[in-house]
């Protein structure tokens, strides 16, 4: 029992020594990780080598993680610079040391524990930051500069007195927007345009747009976003689009940027009719097709330019579509137009006459004419009036007497009327018998 008690401490000491030797030969993590942001979106990392590790046999594995992306890089030095990164949602940085192995080796590299550091999100009230930020670069036809145009919407919780301010950075240049656009009917700024003289086309570069704000009632949260210049470039529209039927020239136009070579562009021609809609790609600044020569067939044609190599290698920019050109309707001959005009005039005249006749008939139906009295009825009224006057009429000293005398030797009766002017012989009268 005493012997076994002496053996156990010896075994424990041996295991402790072996573990220390193994720990010495294991890869140790880096120390004292520092994260700095000297300018917008520019992240600078630095750390110290572990004193127990062999510097020449180590590399470092770096992870830069945001809510939108995860970047992983491997470096041999004890520092790294990320040129442009959006940091509005915060940043998590992790660095680990790893054993350097040849590139063609199938052996997996040993890795140390991760050393981490975090940057918090931008301060401010949640929901007050600008949202739906979008930008595009409009190339000037003269190629003397480009116009950066950005628009955004106010945050849901942003007060009405919020003012947003835009900053942009490309390379080492950081500038503030001077020309803003406001939302309709209000004073909050929701857009900006900047003429960039230092940014050249055909050279893909990163552009960081940073928007912060101010308000009297709340702290406005900032936001930022990184754009690749070649992804948001927009060519100017093609120029002097014309259609000529004579000489089979067809549709012609000029390049959107005259100072560039013709090989920098191809073109898309969209042809739309009642029964067809197609887009054709051509390399020259002209287009001709037999179907466009039919005068009775109406076609709508429009053109846009597309950037090509060697001027644009990664992303091909497009120009806006031109206005539609109508081909066919204007080529109908004059006699057809005159006939159409005469037909329309005749139809309108006949329609007006028919409407007038119908209106007259309708008026007469609603308001019929009052008929005049007939002559027989008029004479009957007159005879009745005369008879009344004859039977009974007295004025001054005039008297009318009517009587009937029986005729001898006949069944007929004869009516005799005698008028005597009594006024001429006062107190006397005359009676006659026929």
């Amino acid at each position: 029992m005493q012997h076994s008690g002496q053996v156990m401490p010896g075994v424990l000491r041996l295991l402790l020594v072996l573990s220390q030797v193994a720990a010495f030969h294991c890869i140790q993590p880096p120390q004292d990780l520092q994260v700095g942001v000297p300018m917008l979106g520019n992240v600078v990392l630095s750390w110290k080598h572990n004193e127990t590790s062999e510097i020449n046999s180590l590399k470092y594995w770096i992870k830069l993680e945001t809510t939108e992306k995860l970047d992983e890089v491997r470096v041999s030095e004890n520092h790294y610079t990320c040129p442009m990164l959006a940091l509005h949602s915060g940043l998590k940085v992790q660095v680990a040391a790893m054993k350097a192995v040849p590139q063609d080796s199938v052996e997996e590299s040993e890795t140390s524990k991760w050393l981490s550091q975090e940057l918090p999100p931008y301060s401010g009230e949640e929901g007050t930051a600008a949202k739906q930020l979008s930008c595009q670069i409009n190339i000037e036809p003269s190629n003397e500069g480009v116009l950066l145009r950005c628009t955004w919407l106010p945050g849901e919780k942003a007060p009405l007195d919020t003012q947003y301010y835009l900053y942009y950075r490309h390379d080492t240049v950081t500038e503030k927007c001077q020309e803003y656009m406001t939302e309709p009917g209000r004073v909050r700024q929701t857009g900006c345009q900047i003429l960039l003289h230092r940014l050249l086309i055909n050279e893909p570069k990163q552009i960081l747009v940073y928007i912060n704000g101010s308000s009297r009632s709340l702290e406005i949260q900032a936001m930022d976003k990184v754009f690749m210049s070649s992804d948001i470039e927009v060519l100017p529209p093609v120029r002097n689009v014309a259609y000529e039927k004579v000489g089979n020239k067809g549709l012609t136009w000029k390049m959107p940027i005259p100072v560039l070579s013709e090989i920098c562009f191809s073109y898309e021609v969209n042809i739309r009719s009642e029964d067809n809609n197609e887009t054709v790609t051509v390399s020259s600044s002209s287009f001709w097709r037999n179907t466009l020569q039919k005068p009775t067939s109406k076609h709508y044609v429009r053109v846009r330019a597309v950037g090509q190599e060697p001027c644009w290698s990664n992303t091909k920019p497009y120009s806006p579509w031109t206005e539609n050109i109508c081909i066919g309707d204007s080529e109908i001959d004059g006699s057809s137009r005159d006939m159409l005009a005469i037909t329309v005039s005749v139809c309108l005249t006949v329609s007006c006459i028919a409407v007038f006749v119908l209106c007259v008939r309708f008026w007469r139906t609603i308001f019929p004419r009052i008929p005049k009295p007939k002559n027989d009825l008029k004479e009957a009224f007159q005879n009745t009036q005369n008879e009344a006057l004859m039977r009974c009429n007295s004025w001054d000293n005039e008297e009318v007497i009517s009587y009937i005398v029986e005729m001898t030797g006949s069944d007929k009766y004869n009516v005799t009327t005698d008028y005597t002017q009594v006024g001429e012989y006062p107190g006397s009268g005359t009676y006659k018998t026929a």
Side-chain angles (χ1 to χ4, degrees), residues 137 139 201-205 227-235 264-266 305-319:
I137 296 175
I139 304 173
I201 64 174
N202 315 339
E203 298 181 5
K205 291 186 177 181
F227 299 91
M228 182 63 70
S229 62
S230 58
D231 294 339
I232 59 175
E233 284 182 350
V234 179
L235 297 174
C264 292
F265 304 101
S266 65
V306 184
Q308 297 292 327
E309 295 182 351
C311 299
W312 286 272
S313 56
N314 296 330
T315 304
K316 298 178 181 180
Y318 287 80
S319 74

Side-chain angles (χ1 to χ4, degrees), residues 47 56 95 154 192 220 245 259 297 353 369 388 419 421 431:
W47 57 91
N56 295 332
V95 180
C192 170
I220 305 303
K245 182 179 179 181
V259 296
S297 177
I353 295 174
R369 183 182 298 179
Y419 298 90
Q421 298 296 331
Y431 297 91

Side-chain angles (χ1 to χ4, degrees), residues 38 42-43 109 120 150 186 236 248 268 281 318 325 386:
N42 183 234
V43 180
S109 177
C150 297
R186 297 183 181 178
N248 292 335
E268 293 183 352
T281 301
Y318 287 80
I325 298 178
N386 293 336

Side-chain angles (χ1 to χ4, degrees), residues 56-119:
N56 295 332
S57 63
L58 293 180
K59 285 188 176 182
Y60 294 96
W61 186 359
I62 304 172
K63 291 183 179 181
L64 300 171
E65 183 179 1
T66 66
T67 56
E68 299 173 354
K69 61 184 300 187
L70 172 63
D71 292 337
E72 298 186 23
V73 293
R74 290 171 171 81
V75 297
S76 300
E77 304 295 333
N78 64 334
H79 56 83
Y80 174 74
T81 299
C82 179
M84 201 165 288
L85 192 65
L87 303 174
H88 63 273
S89 60
L91 174 66
K92 182 179 181 180
V93 180
Q94 293 179 296
V95 180
M98 56 188 301
K99 184 179 179 180
V101 296
Q103 294 183 355
D104 57 351
S105 175
V106 296
E107 179 184 355
E108 293 185 0
S109 177
E110 296 182 40
T111 305
S112 71
K113 294 182 179 180
W114 291 96
L115 180 63
S116 300
Q117 189 71 268
E118 293 187 9
L119 293 180

Side-chain angles (χ1 to χ4, degrees), residues 325-424:
I325 298 178
C326 183
I327 300 175
D329 184 60
S330 60
E331 299 180 9
I332 301 176
D333 57 1
S335 60
S336 299
R337 291 183 179 276
D338 295 341
M339 183 62 67
L340 180 62
I342 293 173
T343 304
V344 171
S345 300
V346 171
C347 292
L348 288 176
T349 303
V350 172
S351 300
C352 291
I353 295 174
V355 170
F356 177 76
V357 172
L358 291 175
C359 290
V360 171
R361 295 186 62 181
F362 182 72
W363 182 268
R364 289 181 176 179
T365 303
I366 297 178
F367 304 102
R369 183 182 298 179
I370 300 175
K372 296 181 179 180
K374 296 182 179 181
N375 292 333
D376 296 341
L377 184 61
K378 183 178 180 181
E379 290 177 358
F381 279 111
Q382 289 180 352
N383 293 335
T384 305
Q385 184 178 8
N386 293 336
E387 185 177 355
L389 290 174
M390 292 172 63
R391 291 186 178 182
C392 181
N393 188 11
S394 64
W395 59 87
D396 295 338
N397 296 322
E398 182 178 350
E399 182 178 354
V400 178
I401 300 174
S402 298
Y403 55 93
I404 300 174
V405 178
E406 183 178 359
M407 301 296 291
T408 58
S410 175
D411 294 335
K412 298 181 180 180
Y413 294 90
N414 188 15
V415 179
T416 302
T417 303
D418 189 14
Y419 298 90
T420 304
Q421 298 296 331
V422 179
E424 295 181 0

